[in-house]
Amino acid sequence: MSLLGSVDVHTHLAPVLEAVVAGVAADGGRLAVDGHTVGPAGLYEPGDLETYLDDAGLDSAVVSAPPPFFRQHLPAEQAAVWGHALNDGMLRAVAGHTRLLPLAYLPLEHPDVAAATYAAVRDDVRWAGVVASAGGRSHALDDAALAPLWRMLDEDGRTLLLHPGAAPDVRLTRYYLANLLGNPAETGVATAELVFGGVLSTYPRVRVILSHCGGVVPAVVGRWQHGYDTDRPGVARLELPPREAVRRLYVDTLAHDPAVVDLAAEVFGSDRLLLGSDWPFPMGSTDPLALLAHRGGDAQRLAAVDNAAAALGRLATQTA
């Protein structure tokens, strides 16, 4: 296992594609994906990400492709081809940049393809873990079709970052609500499937990280628990009731509100908070340590170093 210092678990880079891929084209130094140019420019510059780390006082970054590259509308055969191209491209993007720790993408909308994609990368030590879409077009996370994938992830004690892709609700097309409201809600849907479907108790060795401070989850866990306690229709008896189950999750602290970070610490546990910037996107932060400044230096070090090492299954070094 590699030694880690202080870590940002939520950053993004675009893949470096070696060959032409249907639906993806070069556009002035960036990539156009299914007709939409994906930016900002820093997304294509791993050196800029390293500069950000220096400016933020951090040692390393977990890197994943951002949601426009998920392409969840693709049919299974095309999704398999794209998944391999995307993951190969992510390895090329971080090649030679040892501070950047890549995540392989898994297309959860096609359970068989997701399992095959993971089988192809699971023994490659260059990967820090995997990333997949929370909610949206993803298959329900508690569906039996995903059991083969969960078993492999559990056997490997793998880190899985759940990051919302596209919100399917057409009402959210105005006011940037697909991001402002859809992303937190889709994370909530995915988490509910993990909790009420018993996934977290069945596969306890998977290290699940929720982006954006868990989305709506900190605000609704109490409601989930009350529904469980009052035997609401469709809510089965669980090995881990909702309040206990969510404490098996990790979350970044990208809430843009100190009060929500404090709520997340209460709901998930202070040992489950991680630094996350969403670099280089405008909805992120250029100073993720500042998101925890109100909780003091010990909380910052815990999230940046020890919690990150636990979430990634690696060794910590006290360099934060």
Side-chain angles (χ1 to χ4, degrees), residues 125-221:
V125 297
R126 292 174 292 180
W127 295 110
V130 294
V131 61
S133 179
R137 294 175 181 261
S138 289
H139 211 76
L141 298 186
D142 57 341
D143 193 281
L146 281 172
L149 174 62
W150 284 117
R151 282 195 293 270
M152 288 190 288
L153 296 173
D154 189 63
E155 289 168 3
D156 296 344
R158 188 65 72 186
T159 300
L160 166 63
L161 172 67
L162 288 174
H163 190 296
D169 191 332
V170 297
R171 296 174 300 168
L172 303 181
T173 56
R174 298 197 303 162
Y175 309 131
Y176 202 58
L177 289 181
N179 184 295
L180 300 181
L181 182 58
N183 278 4
E186 293 306 315
T187 297
V189 170
T191 305
E193 292 166 351
L194 296 177
V195 169
F196 291 107
V199 177
L200 296 173
S201 58
T202 304
Y203 307 103
R205 297 184 68 247
V206 186
R207 297 175 170 93
V208 179
I209 301 173
L210 305 179
S211 59
H212 311 133
C213 207
V216 301
V217 176
V220 299
V221 166

